[in-house]
């Protein structure tokens, strides 16, 4: 495993974790879930390498190797991630490999946005346990809870100066604007401009790359309607793979696959080989 030091356009420093799989091997540029350090995906990356697929894991601002931590007066949102951090990682990818963009949970949403902004760098999308977190895609108490949480978040983050997820039990200590951007999507089901001159929703609709969407059957954080809402934003051909406990070999929820990733890695590698 190679650790590549990165400096983003605004001075933010982090490390890109690169797992190589031989010359000419296809690669997955992987974006973690909210609050999850890049190192937590090492087992999945190594399983991909065993299948002949390289993997480069991005580090979110505020986590792991990042030089920043969210606090009052230190804030960022989707704009900084899309304008500074992701371009720095993308520029460091081996130009000799064919790279597919992908991500887990929030990482899948940002991977789609990054591909829409730089479609020439992405060969396709791999969306793992991710979807648009629009409140109407949930049902029953979950819809009520997610919608209420999104309405409370703006006030909470402005009062605290950041998002204290480590105390609340959802995500970690996160930047306030990041969580407000997430809450906007919960309320509207749409993505904003985030400092980009073009309409991001329009850019997504023009994306014609193949998409693999993987859903875990016990994942209440990503209902099927949420996953389908994200796929519907893009114009490329889509493939859906469902993983239950038997297929995964573990409890098929939002996070458990990270501990036992071999079956998922084989699925992703097979799809990459079928979509060269």
């Amino acid at each position: 495993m190679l650790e590549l030091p990165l400096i983003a356009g605004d001075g933010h420093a982090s490390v890109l974790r690169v797992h190589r799989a031989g010359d000419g091997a296809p690669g997955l540029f992987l974006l973690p879930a909210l609050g999850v350090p890049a190192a937590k995906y090492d087992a999945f990356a190594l399983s991909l390498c065993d299948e002949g697929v390289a993997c480069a894991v991005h580090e979110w601002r505020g986590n792991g190797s990042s030089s920043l931590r969210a606090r009052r007066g230190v804030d960022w949102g989707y704009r900084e991630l899309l304008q500074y951090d992701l371009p720095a990682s993308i520029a460091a990818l081996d130009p000799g490999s064919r790279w597919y963009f992908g991500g887990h949970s929030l990482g899948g949403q940002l991977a789609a946005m990054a591909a829409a902004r730089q479609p020439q760098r992405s060969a396709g999308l791999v969306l793992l346990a991710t979807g648009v977190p629009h409140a109407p895609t949930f049902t029953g108490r979950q819809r009520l809870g997610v919608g209420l949480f999104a309405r409370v978040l703006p006030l909470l983050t402005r009062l605290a100066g950041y998002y204290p997820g480590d105390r609340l039990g959802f995500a970690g200590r996160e930047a306030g604007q990041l969580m407000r951007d997430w809450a906007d999507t919960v309320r509207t089901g749409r993505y904003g401009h985030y400092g980009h001159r073009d309409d991001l929703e329009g850019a997504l609709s023009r994306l014609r790359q193949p998409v693999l969407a993987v859903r875990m059957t016990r994942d209440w954080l990503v209902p099927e309607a949420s996953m389908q809402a994200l796929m519907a934003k893009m114009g490329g051909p889509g493939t859906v793979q469902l993983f239950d406990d038997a297929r995964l070999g573990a409890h098929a929820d939002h996070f458990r696959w990270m501990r036992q990733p071999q079956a998922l890695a084989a699925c992703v590698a097979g799809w990459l080989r079928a979509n060269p």
Side-chain angles (χ1 to χ4, degrees):
M1 193 270 291
L2 178 66
E3 293 184 322
L4 293 179
L6 303 177
I7 302 294
D10 64 348
H12 168 239
S14 63
V15 167
L16 181 69
R17 299 176 72 85
V18 180
H19 302 257
R20 293 172 169 168
D23 294 339
L28 177 65
F29 173 49
L30 182 68
L31 281 57
L34 178 67
V36 181
K40 294 289 186 181
Y41 293 88
D42 282 354
F44 179 55
L46 290 171
S47 293
L48 283 175
C49 288
D50 289 341
E51 297 286 343
V53 176
C55 187
V57 187
H58 179 75
E59 187 82 87
W60 285 131
R61 187 174 291 223
N63 284 293
S65 64
S66 168
S67 61
L68 296 175
R69 291 295 183 268
R71 63 179 187 275
R72 185 177 295 279
V74 179
D75 198 13
W76 61 83
Y78 287 9
R79 183 181 73 85
E80 287 78 10
L81 305 184
L82 289 164
Q83 186 171 331
Y84 299 119
D85 295 350
L86 287 171
S89 283
I90 293 168
L93 298 175
D94 180 1
S97 294
R98 183 176 177 86
W99 290 95
Y100 297 74
F101 288 10
H104 174 205
S105 196
L106 179 64
Q109 297 178 66
L110 270 294
M113 295 182 220
R117 286 190 168 194
Q118 297 190 61
Q120 73 283 2
R121 298 303 307 271
S122 170
L125 284 168
V126 177
L127 308 177
L128 306 176
T130 186
V132 180
H134 193 200
T137 65
F138 294 81
T139 58
R141 293 181 180 178
Q142 293 167 356
R143 176 184 294 188
L144 180 64
V146 169
L148 180 61
F149 184 51
R151 294 183 184 280
V152 170
L153 263 178
L155 177 60
L156 171 65
T157 54
R158 288 190 169 96
L159 286 175
Y162 63 98
Y163 170 70
D166 46 351
R167 299 185 208 170
L168 298 177
F170 175 70
R173 185 185 181 102
E174 305 293 343
Q177 185 59 53
L178 176 73
M179 298 305 294
R180 291 191 291 274
D181 289 341
W182 177 85
D184 283 344
T185 306
V186 173
R187 292 190 296 269
T188 68
R190 295 180 60 82
Y191 301 119
H193 287 242
Y194 311 124
H196 198 256
R197 66 182 181 276
D198 297 328
D199 170 38
L200 188 53
E201 290 281 336
L204 283 166
S205 71
R206 293 188 293 273
L207 196 62
R208 294 292 187 267
Q209 298 174 1
V211 179
L212 170 65
V214 176
R215 182 171 178 271
M216 303 295 163
T217 56
R218 293 180 183 265
D219 186 4
W220 76 266
L221 288 168
V222 183
E224 182 178 359
S226 172
M227 176 194 69
Q228 292 291 350
L230 181 55
M231 295 183 72
K233 289 184 181 291
M234 295 169 282
T239 300
V240 175
Q241 291 284 342
L242 295 178
F243 275 76
D244 58 13
D245 294 2
R247 185 178 184 187
L248 185 65
H251 191 78
D253 64 9
H254 196 64
F255 289 110
R256 207 76 57 92
W257 64 268
M258 297 169 63
R259 304 178 193 171
Q260 203 160 330
Q262 294 83 4
L264 180 56
C267 171
V268 170
W271 181 83
L272 264 58
R273 286 191 290 269
N275 290 272

